[in-house]
Amino acid sequence: DAGVIQSPRHEVTEMGQEVTLRCKPISGHNSLFWYRQTMMRGLELLIYFNNNVPIDDSGMPEDRFSAKMPNASFSTLKIQPSEPRDSAVYFCASTIDTGYEQYFGPGTRLTVT
Amino acid sequence: GEDVEQSLFLSVREGDSSVINCTYTDSSSTYLYWYKQEPGAGLQLLTYIFSNMDMKQDQRLTVLLNKKDKHLSLRIADTQTGDSAIYFCADDSGAGSYQLTFGKGTKLSVIP
């Protein structure tokens, strides 16, 4: 079984550019999470979708961040414009309503110069 | 809001036992979790414990939960070099919640 798929695995961009991170959850899972991991702040939940609907986006840092889930098999996290402080590893995770385990993707390492 | 605290580093010798500690503040947690992150990879669920239990054993892993003190620990017996990783404690926000609060992780280094 394919796990959670994220792309790209690494992204280097210049400040001010738009960045789009992509996630494909495990088939059959209906909850999707975007996390950001930094040394200083650890793992932070950015946004949580259930059945493609955003349920809690209180962790989204600011208006520069947006996330969409147009269907059950795809989600994007967009940063526009990007800033150096956005540099982090971004993880996507999925689970099913009745499950307790969140399955994490391998992450996207974002570097903004 | 809820908070989960862990020590950041632990170093043990191969073959010894490792004990990673965690404290949390959310009294409504239903499950508490230990996740493992190897270098360059995402987090992977290692084990979990229901909040009404005080101990769970799974092969080399023992989880102890002191709900009164809101203290969770993970003991790894006969620690191997392959156990070197970052270990995250996490709790949920109560029944029906799949939103987890993670600690900052404890980096376990195993000395051969």
Side-chain angles (χ1 to χ4, degrees), chain B residues 25-89:
Chain B
T25 59
D26 188 352
S27 59
S28 63
S29 299
T30 302
Y31 289 98
L32 295 113
Y33 306 84
W34 285 103
Y35 278 80
K36 178 182 180 181
Q37 183 181 29
E38 296 184 350
L43 280 69
Q44 183 175 15
L45 182 65
L46 200 58
T47 187
Y48 67 97
I49 188 167
F50 186 56
S51 58
N52 281 352
M53 298 171 63
D54 52 19
M55 187 180 87
K56 180 179 180 181
Q57 188 148 2
D58 183 2
Q59 298 182 333
R60 292 190 298 122
L61 306 178
T62 303
V63 179
L64 296 178
L65 174 61
N66 182 328
K67 197 171 181 182
K68 174 176 170 290
D69 295 338
K70 296 189 180 67
H71 182 266
L72 182 74
S73 69
L74 173 70
R75 179 177 180 269
I76 306 173
D78 187 24
T79 311
Q80 303 297 306
T81 55
D83 296 323
S84 294
I86 302 176
Y87 292 81
F88 291 87
C89 171

Side-chain angles (χ1 to χ4, degrees), chain A residues 9 33 35 37 40-43 45 48 56 91 97 99-102 104-106, chain B residues 31 33 35 37 40-45 48 86 88 96 98-100 102-104:
Chain A
R9 293 294 312 275
F33 306 81
Y35 291 92
Q37 185 180 38
M40 288 296 293
R41 300 174 68 91
L43 199 65
L45 176 65
Y48 156 51
D56 183 357
F91 289 103
D97 264 351
Y100 53 84
E101 177 175 0
Q102 291 189 18
F104 282 74
Chain B
Y31 289 98
Y33 306 84
Y35 278 80
Q37 183 181 29
L43 280 69
Q44 183 175 15
L45 182 65
Y48 67 97
I86 302 176
F88 291 87
Y98 305 101
Q99 300 184 46
L100 303 181
F102 287 87
K104 288 192 174 179

